[in-house]
Amino acid sequence: MKIRIGFSLTYECPNPTPMILNLNVHFSRAGDMISADHLHADPPVPLTGFRDNFGNWSTRLVAPRGLFTLSNDALILDSGAPDPVVPYARQTPVNELPDDTLMYLLGSRYCETDRLSEVAWQLFHHTPPGWARVQAICDLVHGHIRFDYAHARPTKTAWDAWHERVGVCRDFAHLAITFCRCMNIPARYCTGYLGDMGTPPPYGPMDFAGWFEAWLDGHWYTFDARNNIPRIGRVLIARGRDATDVAISNTFGPNILKNFVVRTDAVAESPDAKGPTGL
């Protein structure tokens, strides 16, 4: 299937303002891009790309004074397959974990393993290690937190989400990641596009989505405590320890976000389209 993705962000800056952005599709999906997701700036400014410490494609710029819009529009090829479910995936003992997974066992800005370790062991020590344990964590978090955009805030941590029991997709992900790490399962935060393909209406306004990946049996697997069902059409933008590492924008000066639109839609195939032929 083909998916059209894109966004439009408009800022108002009282002064020229440096920005660092995570808005491009992850390099692991580069081979799926049908049309490139180049950033467009209005008014035009110089853009500098670089790879951050997690391999995400990032962009630096200086936004001019006044209204400033960033946008892109791209087409990506997707398998249309749902997130894989591998119930037999085992939990890897800590002493056997690859070195590059170890940072995802540790506490981070939004994932306070020290504060939630006792809670996690009380809740999940009886669950079978491996896939079943991560799924049990997702089930509990999915039922524990009520989704509500009105309760989003950039300072909310996993500890806050546990006690307040309301939040947005990043809060579901942070709490699930923290519980996984407390149970010695490496887990990392993901952000990207996730449309409504394959789900029944009504549909809410589109936004960038947050989910997570857990390391089991030698692989990173996708889990989504907010939706808690396998989904199709997931397009990764960035990965990191938590939302700190994958913020869509870091701005170094006062500004107001005046407009924010995200688009991700399946592209209907033309009835005249023909598939490949061969002899």
Side-chain angles (χ1 to χ4, degrees):
M1 65 185 295
K2 297 176 183 177
I3 304 174
R4 184 167 295 282
I5 56 175
F7 64 86
S8 178
L9 298 170
T10 299
Y11 295 89
E12 184 173 18
C13 303
N15 300 295
T17 304
M19 295 184 176
I20 299 175
L21 310 164
N22 275 307
L23 288 166
N24 289 100
V25 172
H26 196 260
F27 72 87
S28 60
R29 298 297 303 269
D32 298 325
M33 300 301 296
I34 299 171
S35 61
D37 62 335
H38 296 306
L39 293 184
H40 299 279
D42 182 21
V45 297
L47 307 176
T48 303
F50 69 98
R51 287 282 185 89
D52 68 13
N53 292 337
F54 299 92
N56 305 312
W57 187 249
S58 303
T59 302
R60 297 179 65 176
L61 58 83
V62 178
R65 180 183 304 173
L67 292 177
F68 175 66
T69 298
L70 287 163
S71 63
N72 74 8
D73 182 73
L75 199 61
I76 188 169
L77 187 65
D78 191 81
S79 69
D83 303 324
V85 177
V86 188
Y88 54 81
R90 72 184 186 95
Q91 182 171 332
T92 305
V94 172
N95 59 299
E96 297 178 14
L97 287 170
D99 294 344
D100 59 0
T101 68
L102 296 179
M103 75 169 78
Y104 300 109
L105 283 178
L106 308 178
S108 56
R109 166 68 178 86
Y110 292 105
C111 300
E112 309 104 316
T113 52
D114 54 342
R115 305 186 78 179
L116 284 164
S117 180
E118 184 176 352
V119 173
W121 279 95
Q122 289 174 352
L123 291 170
F124 305 111
H125 77 277
H126 63 285
T127 58
W131 188 280
R133 177 165 288 170
V134 180
Q135 187 57 58
I137 288 170
C138 289
D139 291 344
L140 184 138
V141 172
H142 179 76
H144 186 80
I145 299 177
R146 174 174 59 85
F147 185 87
D148 191 338
Y149 274 118
H151 290 268
R153 69 174 188 273
T155 58
K156 184 179 289 187
T157 68
W159 175 260
D160 296 329
W162 172 248
H163 288 282
E164 295 175 23
R165 305 190 64 164
V166 63
V168 292
C169 55
R170 65 179 254 160
D171 302 311
F172 287 78
H174 283 149
L175 183 56
I177 287 169
T178 305
F179 282 151
C180 284
R181 292 177 184 174
C182 289
M183 302 306 296
N184 299 331
I185 301 169
R188 62 189 185 185
Y189 187 91
C190 301
T191 188
Y193 297 92
L194 179 60
D196 295 313
M197 290 82 80
T199 65
Y203 304 130
M206 283 307 307
D207 195 355
F208 290 116
W211 62 89
F212 75 101
E213 294 173 342
W215 178 267
L216 296 170
D217 219 6
H219 300 277
W220 288 106
Y221 289 105
T222 295
F223 290 88
D224 186 341
R226 185 261 168 119
N227 295 290
N228 207 28
I229 56 171
R231 294 286 296 270
I232 65 174
R234 206 181 289 273
V235 180
L236 179 69
I237 291 177
R239 298 185 179 110
R241 292 166 299 181
D242 57 32
T244 302
D245 298 324
V246 301
I248 62 170
S249 66
N250 284 291
T251 57
F252 300 88
N255 66 90
I256 299 172
L257 181 61
K258 303 287 286 188
N259 186 57
F260 178 36
V261 177
V262 178
R263 301 176 299 274
T264 173
D265 299 292
V267 177
E269 295 288 346
S270 166
D272 298 326
K274 296 180 179 180
T277 60
L279 297 177

